[in-house]
Amino acid sequence: MKSSVSSLLTSLLLCTFVAQAAPHDNMNATLWYQTSAEFKASAIQTYQTAALQLPHAIADKSWTALPNQTSGYQDLPVAIIVDIDETILDNSPTAAQGVLLNVGYDPKRWDQWVAMAAAKAVPGAVAFVNKAEAAGVKVLYISNRECEKRGDNAEPCPQKADTLRNLKAVGIKKVDASQIWLKSEQKNWSSEKESRRLLAAKDFRIVMSIGDDFGDFLPDVKKNITPEQRSALVDKYQDYWGAKWFVLANPTYGSWQTILKQPNSQYLQSVPAAQ
Ligand SMILES: [Mg+2]
């Protein structure tokens, strides 16, 4: 009797342990993002490399980071395009909140976070942006933060003022609303950023693109595409990486993940079966 009670207790403890041991899907990625020296160093490395390239990019009038900026751009003022989320601003507290609540992405929860304007900066980002602005380079923030009314407030895009406030709060010295181009702020400004890049290319020689998602660099890479096709595009534009295009690591979300079909375990490349 005693032993059956004890084995029942052991089973219960084991069940509890197994239940607790099943982590949220985003646990490791969020921990890496928030705690690792490796992430911090890689972000600083990215921005310091960009800063080293900047003088060459400014001086060389044929230098453009947009593959389709092919003529009539050489004497335009110089600009760089940066994404905002997980490029300039670190929104990992929302990922951590999702892990702790054991929930997935929720646009309402996200918008509450945007309204707080409390994101810290991605390491290295502020120093780089301030350096670029000081060198006379316009920084254009092309972001997929959604423009939408909030509650009964008539303001069509309160997210824009929130974002500006947050960018200033992290220490960006020279930024105004005209530099922030949010998703759906204008007709045809969808999550596909190419239309906004083309618009920027009319007035500026775009010397760098910086982002955490492949869609921050190229069109048509965020849906109906396989990992292999994306990988081939990375190779096609090999000369851009670390020179004109700078990518920040983001294992917590992104089109890298949303393009995968379920079950996503089908993409794991394991060791060959033993003969
Ligand atoms: Mg981003």
Side-chain angles (χ1 to χ4, degrees):
M1 182 66 188
K2 195 177 172 189
S3 80
S4 68
V5 169
S6 119
S7 74
L8 182 67
L9 278 173
T10 308
S11 305
L12 281 171
L13 278 171
L14 197 61
C15 285
T16 311
F17 175 75
V18 168
Q20 285 177 344
H24 187 282
D25 191 40
N26 224 2
M27 173 71 104
N28 265 343
T30 306
L31 285 173
W32 186 78
Y33 202 90
Q34 293 196 322
T35 72
S36 73
E38 290 82 354
F39 169 68
K40 183 177 182 180
S42 75
I44 290 171
Q45 170 181 272
T46 300
Y47 277 111
Q48 290 194 163
T49 309
L52 286 172
Q53 290 290 353
L54 196 57
H56 307 295
I58 296 169
D60 179 356
K61 289 196 167 195
S62 69
W63 183 297
T64 170
L66 298 188
N68 46 20
Q69 189 165 42
T70 51
S71 64
Y73 66 90
Q74 290 85 348
D75 292 313
L76 293 175
V78 174
I80 61 178
I81 292 176
V82 299
D83 168 55
I84 293 178
D85 295 317
E86 279 50 73
T87 297
I88 303 292
L89 296 180
D90 166 3
N91 306 288
S92 63
T94 60
Q97 183 188 40
V99 171
L100 292 171
L101 296 173
N102 198 24
V103 294
Y105 174 75
D106 171 5
K108 247 190 189 148
R109 195 163 57 80
W110 169 256
D111 195 48
Q112 286 166 355
W113 166 253
V114 169
M116 290 167 72
K120 294 192 169 71
V122 169
V126 174
F128 172 77
V129 166
N130 285 339
K131 190 176 266 190
E133 289 279 7
V137 177
K138 177 77 90 180
V139 179
L140 299 172
Y141 299 82
I142 297 186
S143 165
N144 281 341
R145 288 189 165 203
E146 189 90 39
C147 255
E148 56 191 355
K149 290 184 181 180
R150 200 177 271 148
D152 296 333
N153 194 324
E155 170 61 48
C157 188
Q159 295 80 10
K160 188 152 166 155
D162 299 333
T163 301
L164 179 59
R165 195 153 46 91
N166 204 156
L167 292 173
K168 286 181 172 172
V170 296
I172 292 174
K173 291 180 183 154
K174 205 173 158 198
V175 57
D176 63 47
S178 73
Q179 292 164 257
I180 300 171
W181 299 5
L182 299 190
K183 177 184 169 188
S184 58
E185 191 179 340
Q186 292 193 19
K187 217 168 67 177
N188 93 343
W189 287 12
S190 65
S191 62
E192 171 58 79
K193 292 182 172 179
E194 186 71 354
S195 62
R196 284 176 277 172
R197 285 193 287 265
L198 293 174
L199 190 63
K202 286 183 182 170
D203 294 327
F204 297 97
R205 176 165 67 90
I206 306 296
V207 297
M208 283 182 183
S209 291
I210 305 178
D212 68 300
D213 191 288
F214 206 28
D216 294 326
F217 306 94
L218 286 170
D220 305 320
V221 295
K222 293 176 64 168
K223 54 186 175 187
N224 305 322
I225 189 167
T226 65
E228 292 76 16
Q229 288 168 324
R230 298 172 111 234
S231 175
L233 284 168
V234 172
D235 291 338
K236 180 178 174 186
Y237 291 96
Q238 180 159 343
D239 293 346
Y240 284 69
W241 303 110
K244 298 173 176 178
W245 294 353
F246 297 87
V247 65
L248 279 301
N250 181 7
T252 66
Y253 67 89
S255 59
W256 68 269
Q257 187 175 40
T258 52
I259 60 139
L260 301 180
K261 292 181 168 50
Q262 294 299 327
N264 56 12
S265 59
Q266 71 188 282
Y267 297 96
L268 292 172
Q269 295 157 44
S270 186
V271 298
Q275 296 299 308

